[in-house]
Amino acid sequence: MDAVKANGIVLHVEDRGPRDAPALVFINSVGTDFRIWDAVVPQFPGHRTLRYDKRGHGLSGNEGGDSIEAHAADLAALLDARGIRRAAVVGLSIGGMIALGLTKLRPDLVGRLVLCDTAHKIGTADAWQARIAAVEAGGVASIAEATMERWFSAGFRARQPDLVATARNMLSRTPADGYVRACAALRDGDLTAAAQGVAVPTLCLCGTADIATTPELVRSLAALIPGARYQDIPGAGHIPCIEAPELLAGLIRGFVEEGRHG
């Protein structure tokens, strides 16, 4: 177990691999902790990999964090604290928005971007407010079943019910106030300008069965980012790091290796 106090909050982190190896940072989606990358991170033995629980999630502190900018500032402070001067940054869902926010806040820290099942703006204010109201009324567990239908394809839910049950437990045990503040950040977040200002190589990925951030939406993000590429993750839903970790890791590896050898 490892922790770093960054930007005024204690963040639960895992920092593995040689300190002088190329750094690869993973940022989670709403309602998850860094365990969603368990099957991905070991596939990068030649990298220094950093993953963390964003504030309000997992074992990190639970105060604040109701804006994408606050989360980006947390990540910048974490990288500074760990002496990581430049990294390839992989962000999933809200994690992709945080990655874009980091690129705007501290472009010096970002060498490459992988934006997975995310967008410059996700959902509508009304939809997020309805989600917030549901959690405030019934707790996070009250939305868990519907969330599994967004997170995973129907085929995966049928094939891997135990993994889906574990993911449901992870979501249900997320602090309600941390979840609500993350939803508020998504409700108010618009990273259009940040996307248009990205000046590093960027790969946008999306599961073809994602109904939360659809392939069409992620393609629209790629179109905003100068020189960005888009690629499908066939058959996967919104959380491909659980549903298709080998395929996702292969796509990330191919992209970051371009930076090492290009």
Side-chain angles (χ1 to χ4, degrees), residues 10-49:
V10 174
L11 298 175
H12 178 221
V13 304
E14 181 195 75
D15 186 354
R16 63 193 283 181
R19 292 302 181 260
D20 59 350
L24 187 57
V25 176
F26 296 90
I27 320 172
N28 314 327
S29 54
V30 173
T32 69
D33 58 44
F34 70 50
R35 289 174 293 184
I36 64 172
W37 303 103
D38 279 355
V40 173
V41 166
Q43 300 186 53
F44 292 91
H47 287 77
R48 178 182 181 180
T49 57

Side-chain angles (χ1 to χ4, degrees), residues 165-179:
T166 302
R168 186 187 301 111
N169 289 339
M170 176 176 55
L171 170 66
S172 298
R173 294 168 187 173
T174 300
D177 47 353
Y179 187 92

Side-chain angles (χ1 to χ4, degrees), residues 195-200 202 222-228:
Q196 292 169 329
V198 170
V200 296
T202 302
L224 286 173
I225 298 172

Side-chain angles (χ1 to χ4, degrees), residues 224-249:
L224 286 173
I225 298 172
R229 303 203 306 258
Y230 171 85
Q231 191 160 347
D232 286 328
I233 305 172
H238 189 58
I239 312 287
C241 45
I242 294 177
E243 185 164 348
E246 294 84 4
L247 178 53
L248 178 62

Side-chain angles (χ1 to χ4, degrees), residues 3 15 23 28-29 52 54 64 72 76 85 87 94 138 143 215 224 250 259-260:
D15 186 354
N28 314 327
S29 54
Y52 71 104
K54 62 185 166 295
R85 296 185 176 182
I94 192 176
I143 65 165
L224 286 173
R260 294 178 68 179

